[in-house]
């Protein structure tokens, strides 16, 4: 009897090894925003994956988007409940912000996020210690689209492509309409240049991050 064919016949199902392939992780903060549905349509059309660092308050008001993100193979992370600066917050506030968001995401999509991105990317030893309690590494970014600042489609595209390099983690926002409008062109350009658009999990897979670790480390930081 012939052995069954390997389960990799579908190219979409192949695992991407970012140690051997050119990978970019596009990440979207502060959502799910009101344009998340259109963004998910674009990602699906181009067979691209992304990571969404979600705010609990918007998870609660737009749970269907979160469920769809998970169903379509995107990663979801915790970006607090109401976006306070964790470095100016009490430990009780930080714990509450993380827990409420984890609970909201689990209720919406049946999964609990494994990654934390603090609001504004602001972290310190206290934030790291609390991340350890939740078993979560802290994920920042290697470059940003500056979409919140320019809100200009061409500038967003140019800036994103300038920081999208091998194994980069790019900061974007799905509440910026111009970002979503620019996405088909950004994705097509990156894919034409040989990049695989993956989740943060794919990029950090070989980093052996532990809970509380910050990645990538800002310049001048030490773990």
């Amino acid at each position: 009897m012939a052995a069954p064919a390997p389960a990799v016949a579908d190219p979409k199902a192949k695992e991407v090894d970012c140690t051997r392939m050119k990978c970019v992780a596009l990440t979207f903060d502060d959502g799910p925003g009101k344009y998340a549905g259109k963004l998910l349509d674009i990602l699906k059309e181009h067979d691209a994956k992304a990571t969404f660092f979600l705010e609990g308050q918007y998870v609660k008001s737009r749970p269907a988007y979160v469920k769809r993100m998970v169903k379509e193979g995107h990663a979801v992370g915790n970006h607090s409940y109401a976006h306070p600066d964790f470095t100016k917050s009490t430990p009780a506030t930080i714990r509450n912000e993380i827990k409420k968001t984890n609970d909201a995401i689990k209720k919406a999509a049946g999964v609990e996020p494994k990654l934390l991105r603090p609001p504004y990317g602001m972290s310190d030893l206290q934030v790291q210690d609390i991340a350890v309690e939740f078993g979560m590494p802290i994920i920042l970014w290697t470059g940003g689209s500056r979409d919140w600042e320019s809100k200009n489609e061409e500038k967003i595209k140019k800036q994103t492509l300038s920081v999208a390099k091998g194994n980069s983690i790019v900061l974007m926002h799905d509440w910026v309409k111009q970002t979503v409008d620019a996405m088909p062109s950004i994705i097509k350009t990156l894919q034409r240049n040989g990049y695989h658009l993956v989740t943060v999990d794919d990029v950090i897979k070989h980093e052996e991050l532990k809970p509380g670790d910050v990645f990538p480390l800002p310049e001048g930081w030490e773990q």
Side-chain angles (χ1 to χ4, degrees), residues 98 102 112-116 127-138 209-213:
I98 295 172
N102 278 357
E112 196 158 304
K114 305 287 188 234
L115 305 174
L116 175 67
V127 176
Q128 288 180 263
D129 286 345
I130 293 172
V132 171
E133 295 174 19
F134 285 89
M136 305 171 94
I138 293 170
L209 297 180
K210 297 186 285 296
D213 284 354

PDB file of all heavy atoms in Angstrom, residues 98 102 112-116 127-138 209-213:
ATOM      1  N   ILE A  98      -3.730  44.029  31.544  1.00  0.00           N
ATOM      2  CA  ILE A  98      -3.340  42.820  30.812  1.00  0.00           C
ATOM      3  C   ILE A  98      -4.411  41.742  30.944  1.00  0.00           C
ATOM      4  O   ILE A  98      -4.830  41.133  29.950  1.00  0.00           O
ATOM      5  CB  ILE A  98      -1.973  42.297  31.315  1.00  0.00           C
ATOM      6  CG1 ILE A  98      -0.870  43.314  31.005  1.00  0.00           C
ATOM      7  CG2 ILE A  98      -1.653  40.942  30.673  1.00  0.00           C
ATOM      8  CD1 ILE A  98       0.484  42.979  31.619  1.00  0.00           C
ATOM      9  N   ASN A 102      -6.622  39.974  28.005  1.00  0.00           N
ATOM     10  CA  ASN A 102      -6.530  38.526  27.778  1.00  0.00           C
ATOM     11  C   ASN A 102      -7.910  37.873  27.837  1.00  0.00           C
ATOM     12  O   ASN A 102      -8.266  37.051  26.989  1.00  0.00           O
ATOM     13  CB  ASN A 102      -5.619  37.873  28.822  1.00  0.00           C
ATOM     14  CG  ASN A 102      -4.144  37.997  28.494  1.00  0.00           C
ATOM     15  OD1 ASN A 102      -3.777  38.523  27.454  1.00  0.00           O
ATOM     16  ND2 ASN A 102      -3.296  37.528  29.389  1.00  0.00           N
ATOM     17  N   GLU A 112      -5.852  32.591  24.112  1.00  0.00           N
ATOM     18  CA  GLU A 112      -5.263  33.572  25.028  1.00  0.00           C
ATOM     19  C   GLU A 112      -3.949  34.056  24.426  1.00  0.00           C
ATOM     20  O   GLU A 112      -3.108  33.248  24.032  1.00  0.00           O
ATOM     21  CB  GLU A 112      -5.025  32.943  26.391  1.00  0.00           C
ATOM     22  CG  GLU A 112      -4.789  33.992  27.472  1.00  0.00           C
ATOM     23  CD  GLU A 112      -5.085  33.453  28.867  1.00  0.00           C
ATOM     24  OE1 GLU A 112      -6.210  32.976  29.119  1.00  0.00           O
ATOM     25  OE2 GLU A 112      -4.157  33.517  29.694  1.00  0.00           O
ATOM     26  N   PRO A 113      -3.770  35.378  24.295  1.00  0.00           N
ATOM     27  CA  PRO A 113      -2.542  35.885  23.668  1.00  0.00           C
ATOM     28  C   PRO A 113      -1.303  35.511  24.464  1.00  0.00           C
ATOM     29  O   PRO A 113      -1.334  35.448  25.691  1.00  0.00           O
ATOM     30  CB  PRO A 113      -2.744  37.400  23.627  1.00  0.00           C
ATOM     31  CG  PRO A 113      -3.817  37.689  24.611  1.00  0.00           C
ATOM     32  CD  PRO A 113      -4.673  36.469  24.696  1.00  0.00           C
ATOM     33  N   LYS A 114      -0.224  35.276  23.739  1.00  0.00           N
ATOM     34  CA  LYS A 114       1.036  34.870  24.359  1.00  0.00           C
ATOM     35  C   LYS A 114       2.071  35.990  24.351  1.00  0.00           C
ATOM     36  O   LYS A 114       3.140  35.845  24.950  1.00  0.00           O
ATOM     37  CB  LYS A 114       1.643  33.673  23.612  1.00  0.00           C
ATOM     38  CG  LYS A 114       0.693  32.490  23.484  1.00  0.00           C
ATOM     39  CD  LYS A 114       0.530  31.780  24.806  1.00  0.00           C
ATOM     40  CE  LYS A 114      -0.264  30.494  24.634  1.00  0.00           C
ATOM     41  NZ  LYS A 114      -1.405  30.412  25.525  1.00  0.00           N
ATOM     42  N   LEU A 115       1.790  37.093  23.651  1.00  0.00           N
ATOM     43  CA  LEU A 115       2.752  38.184  23.500  1.00  0.00           C
ATOM     44  C   LEU A 115       2.160  39.486  24.003  1.00  0.00           C
ATOM     45  O   LEU A 115       0.971  39.758  23.820  1.00  0.00           O
ATOM     46  CB  LEU A 115       3.149  38.340  22.029  1.00  0.00           C
ATOM     47  CG  LEU A 115       3.689  37.091  21.327  1.00  0.00           C
ATOM     48  CD1 LEU A 115       3.888  37.368  19.837  1.00  0.00           C
ATOM     49  CD2 LEU A 115       4.995  36.634  21.969  1.00  0.00           C
ATOM     50  N   LEU A 116       3.007  40.310  24.614  1.00  0.00           N
ATOM     51  CA  LEU A 116       2.586  41.606  25.140  1.00  0.00           C
ATOM     52  C   LEU A 116       3.343  42.721  24.427  1.00  0.00           C
ATOM     53  O   LEU A 116       4.564  42.659  24.281  1.00  0.00           O
ATOM     54  CB  LEU A 116       2.885  41.673  26.653  1.00  0.00           C
ATOM     55  CG  LEU A 116       2.607  43.011  27.345  1.00  0.00           C
ATOM     56  CD1 LEU A 116       1.112  43.328  27.369  1.00  0.00           C
ATOM     57  CD2 LEU A 116       3.166  42.990  28.784  1.00  0.00           C
ATOM     58  N   VAL A 127       7.331  46.514  34.551  1.00  0.00           N
ATOM     59  CA  VAL A 127       6.499  45.961  33.479  1.00  0.00           C
ATOM     60  C   VAL A 127       7.006  44.564  33.101  1.00  0.00           C
ATOM     61  O   VAL A 127       6.216  43.636  32.914  1.00  0.00           O
ATOM     62  CB  VAL A 127       6.501  46.893  32.250  1.00  0.00           C
ATOM     63  CG1 VAL A 127       5.703  46.265  31.104  1.00  0.00           C
ATOM     64  CG2 VAL A 127       5.913  48.264  32.615  1.00  0.00           C
ATOM     65  N   GLN A 128       8.330  44.408  33.031  1.00  0.00           N
ATOM     66  CA  GLN A 128       8.897  43.095  32.706  1.00  0.00           C
ATOM     67  C   GLN A 128       8.545  42.060  33.765  1.00  0.00           C
ATOM     68  O   GLN A 128       8.198  40.923  33.434  1.00  0.00           O
ATOM     69  CB  GLN A 128      10.415  43.196  32.559  1.00  0.00           C
ATOM     70  CG  GLN A 128      10.862  43.922  31.291  1.00  0.00           C
ATOM     71  CD  GLN A 128      12.376  43.996  31.192  1.00  0.00           C
ATOM     72  OE1 GLN A 128      12.980  44.988  31.556  1.00  0.00           O
ATOM     73  NE2 GLN A 128      12.982  42.928  30.704  1.00  0.00           N
ATOM     74  N   ASP A 129       8.622  42.446  35.024  1.00  0.00           N
ATOM     75  CA  ASP A 129       8.290  41.516  36.109  1.00  0.00           C
ATOM     76  C   ASP A 129       6.832  41.057  36.014  1.00  0.00           C
ATOM     77  O   ASP A 129       6.521  39.882  36.229  1.00  0.00           O
ATOM     78  CB  ASP A 129       8.538  42.163  37.469  1.00  0.00           C
ATOM     79  CG  ASP A 129      10.018  42.266  37.815  1.00  0.00           C
ATOM     80  OD1 ASP A 129      10.832  41.591  37.150  1.00  0.00           O
ATOM     81  OD2 ASP A 129      10.364  43.036  38.739  1.00  0.00           O
ATOM     82  N   ILE A 130       5.938  41.989  35.678  1.00  0.00           N
ATOM     83  CA  ILE A 130       4.519  41.630  35.565  1.00  0.00           C
ATOM     84  C   ILE A 130       4.288  40.781  34.322  1.00  0.00           C
ATOM     85  O   ILE A 130       3.472  39.849  34.335  1.00  0.00           O
ATOM     86  CB  ILE A 130       3.643  42.902  35.586  1.00  0.00           C
ATOM     87  CG1 ILE A 130       3.747  43.563  36.967  1.00  0.00           C
ATOM     88  CG2 ILE A 130       2.185  42.567  35.259  1.00  0.00           C
ATOM     89  CD1 ILE A 130       3.094  44.919  37.081  1.00  0.00           C
ATOM     90  N   ALA A 131       5.026  41.060  33.257  1.00  0.00           N
ATOM     91  CA  ALA A 131       4.927  40.208  32.060  1.00  0.00           C
ATOM     92  C   ALA A 131       5.327  38.776  32.391  1.00  0.00           C
ATOM     93  O   ALA A 131       4.746  37.821  31.866  1.00  0.00           O
ATOM     94  CB  ALA A 131       5.801  40.774  30.950  1.00  0.00           C
ATOM     95  N   VAL A 132       6.315  38.615  33.266  1.00  0.00           N
ATOM     96  CA  VAL A 132       6.731  37.278  33.703  1.00  0.00           C
ATOM     97  C   VAL A 132       5.560  36.562  34.378  1.00  0.00           C
ATOM     98  O   VAL A 132       5.306  35.374  34.121  1.00  0.00           O
ATOM     99  CB  VAL A 132       7.938  37.359  34.662  1.00  0.00           C
ATOM    100  CG1 VAL A 132       8.219  35.992  35.286  1.00  0.00           C
ATOM    101  CG2 VAL A 132       9.177  37.860  33.937  1.00  0.00           C
ATOM    102  N   GLU A 133       4.830  37.287  35.208  1.00  0.00           N
ATOM    103  CA  GLU A 133       3.673  36.697  35.897  1.00  0.00           C
ATOM    104  C   GLU A 133       2.656  36.132  34.904  1.00  0.00           C
ATOM    105  O   GLU A 133       2.008  35.115  35.167  1.00  0.00           O
ATOM    106  CB  GLU A 133       2.977  37.739  36.771  1.00  0.00           C
ATOM    107  CG  GLU A 133       3.802  38.251  37.936  1.00  0.00           C
ATOM    108  CD  GLU A 133       3.100  39.400  38.672  1.00  0.00           C
ATOM    109  OE1 GLU A 133       1.870  39.539  38.515  1.00  0.00           O
ATOM    110  OE2 GLU A 133       3.783  40.154  39.390  1.00  0.00           O
ATOM    111  N   PHE A 134       2.515  36.798  33.771  1.00  0.00           N
ATOM    112  CA  PHE A 134       1.550  36.366  32.759  1.00  0.00           C
ATOM    113  C   PHE A 134       2.170  35.423  31.721  1.00  0.00           C
ATOM    114  O   PHE A 134       1.484  34.977  30.800  1.00  0.00           O
ATOM    115  CB  PHE A 134       0.936  37.581  32.050  1.00  0.00           C
ATOM    116  CG  PHE A 134      -0.072  38.319  32.884  1.00  0.00           C
ATOM    117  CD1 PHE A 134       0.317  39.340  33.737  1.00  0.00           C
ATOM    118  CD2 PHE A 134      -1.417  37.977  32.827  1.00  0.00           C
ATOM    119  CE1 PHE A 134      -0.615  40.018  34.510  1.00  0.00           C
ATOM    120  CE2 PHE A 134      -2.359  38.644  33.604  1.00  0.00           C
ATOM    121  CZ  PHE A 134      -1.959  39.671  34.452  1.00  0.00           C
ATOM    122  N   GLY A 135       3.470  35.148  31.864  1.00  0.00           N
ATOM    123  CA  GLY A 135       4.143  34.235  30.949  1.00  0.00           C
ATOM    124  C   GLY A 135       4.327  34.797  29.552  1.00  0.00           C
ATOM    125  O   GLY A 135       4.326  34.044  28.571  1.00  0.00           O
ATOM    126  N   MET A 136       4.508  36.128  29.459  1.00  0.00           N
ATOM    127  CA  MET A 136       4.526  36.781  28.152  1.00  0.00           C
ATOM    128  C   MET A 136       5.842  37.519  27.886  1.00  0.00           C
ATOM    129  O   MET A 136       6.249  38.360  28.690  1.00  0.00           O
ATOM    130  CB  MET A 136       3.373  37.792  28.048  1.00  0.00           C
ATOM    131  CG  MET A 136       2.009  37.211  28.318  1.00  0.00           C
ATOM    132  SD  MET A 136       0.723  38.487  28.450  1.00  0.00           S
ATOM    133  CE  MET A 136       0.137  38.502  26.759  1.00  0.00           C
ATOM    134  N   PRO A 137       6.506  37.241  26.747  1.00  0.00           N
ATOM    135  CA  PRO A 137       7.585  38.126  26.310  1.00  0.00           C
ATOM    136  C   PRO A 137       6.995  39.465  25.850  1.00  0.00           C
ATOM    137  O   PRO A 137       5.817  39.547  25.489  1.00  0.00           O
ATOM    138  CB  PRO A 137       8.213  37.383  25.125  1.00  0.00           C
ATOM    139  CG  PRO A 137       7.644  36.017  25.141  1.00  0.00           C
ATOM    140  CD  PRO A 137       6.337  36.097  25.846  1.00  0.00           C
ATOM    141  N   ILE A 138       7.827  40.500  25.861  1.00  0.00           N
ATOM    142  CA  ILE A 138       7.418  41.833  25.413  1.00  0.00           C
ATOM    143  C   ILE A 138       7.976  42.057  24.006  1.00  0.00           C
ATOM    144  O   ILE A 138       9.186  41.992  23.790  1.00  0.00           O
ATOM    145  CB  ILE A 138       7.935  42.905  26.392  1.00  0.00           C
ATOM    146  CG1 ILE A 138       7.228  42.746  27.751  1.00  0.00           C
ATOM    147  CG2 ILE A 138       7.731  44.313  25.824  1.00  0.00           C
ATOM    148  CD1 ILE A 138       7.821  43.590  28.861  1.00  0.00           C
ATOM    149  N   LEU A 209      12.911  33.308  23.450  1.00  0.00           N
ATOM    150  CA  LEU A 209      12.504  34.346  24.391  1.00  0.00           C
ATOM    151  C   LEU A 209      11.802  33.734  25.593  1.00  0.00           C
ATOM    152  O   LEU A 209      11.002  32.812  25.461  1.00  0.00           O
ATOM    153  CB  LEU A 209      11.563  35.338  23.704  1.00  0.00           C
ATOM    154  CG  LEU A 209      12.132  36.137  22.534  1.00  0.00           C
ATOM    155  CD1 LEU A 209      11.070  37.067  21.963  1.00  0.00           C
ATOM    156  CD2 LEU A 209      13.349  36.950  22.970  1.00  0.00           C
ATOM    157  N   LYS A 210      12.095  34.284  26.754  1.00  0.00           N
ATOM    158  CA  LYS A 210      11.439  33.870  27.987  1.00  0.00           C
ATOM    159  C   LYS A 210      10.447  34.949  28.407  1.00  0.00           C
ATOM    160  O   LYS A 210      10.565  36.108  27.985  1.00  0.00           O
ATOM    161  CB  LYS A 210      12.475  33.639  29.087  1.00  0.00           C
ATOM    162  CG  LYS A 210      13.448  32.505  28.781  1.00  0.00           C
ATOM    163  CD  LYS A 210      14.364  32.218  29.937  1.00  0.00           C
ATOM    164  CE  LYS A 210      15.452  33.261  30.114  1.00  0.00           C
ATOM    165  NZ  LYS A 210      16.394  33.323  28.993  1.00  0.00           N
ATOM    166  N   PRO A 211       9.470  34.608  29.246  1.00  0.00           N
ATOM    167  CA  PRO A 211       8.542  35.626  29.740  1.00  0.00           C
ATOM    168  C   PRO A 211       9.295  36.815  30.350  1.00  0.00           C
ATOM    169  O   PRO A 211      10.260  36.636  31.099  1.00  0.00           O
ATOM    170  CB  PRO A 211       7.736  34.878  30.805  1.00  0.00           C
ATOM    171  CG  PRO A 211       7.744  33.455  30.328  1.00  0.00           C
ATOM    172  CD  PRO A 211       9.103  33.253  29.725  1.00  0.00           C
ATOM    173  N   GLY A 212       8.871  38.020  29.989  1.00  0.00           N
ATOM    174  CA  GLY A 212       9.517  39.228  30.493  1.00  0.00           C
ATOM    175  C   GLY A 212      10.651  39.738  29.624  1.00  0.00           C
ATOM    176  O   GLY A 212      11.068  40.890  29.759  1.00  0.00           O
ATOM    177  N   ASP A 213      11.179  38.890  28.722  1.00  0.00           N
ATOM    178  CA  ASP A 213      12.217  39.355  27.794  1.00  0.00           C
ATOM    179  C   ASP A 213      11.629  40.410  26.857  1.00  0.00           C
ATOM    180  O   ASP A 213      10.456  40.311  26.460  1.00  0.00           O
ATOM    181  CB  ASP A 213      12.750  38.197  26.949  1.00  0.00           C
ATOM    182  CG  ASP A 213      13.698  37.286  27.713  1.00  0.00           C
ATOM    183  OD1 ASP A 213      14.037  37.620  28.865  1.00  0.00           O
ATOM    184  OD2 ASP A 213      14.100  36.246  27.153  1.00  0.00           O
TER     185      ASP A 213
END
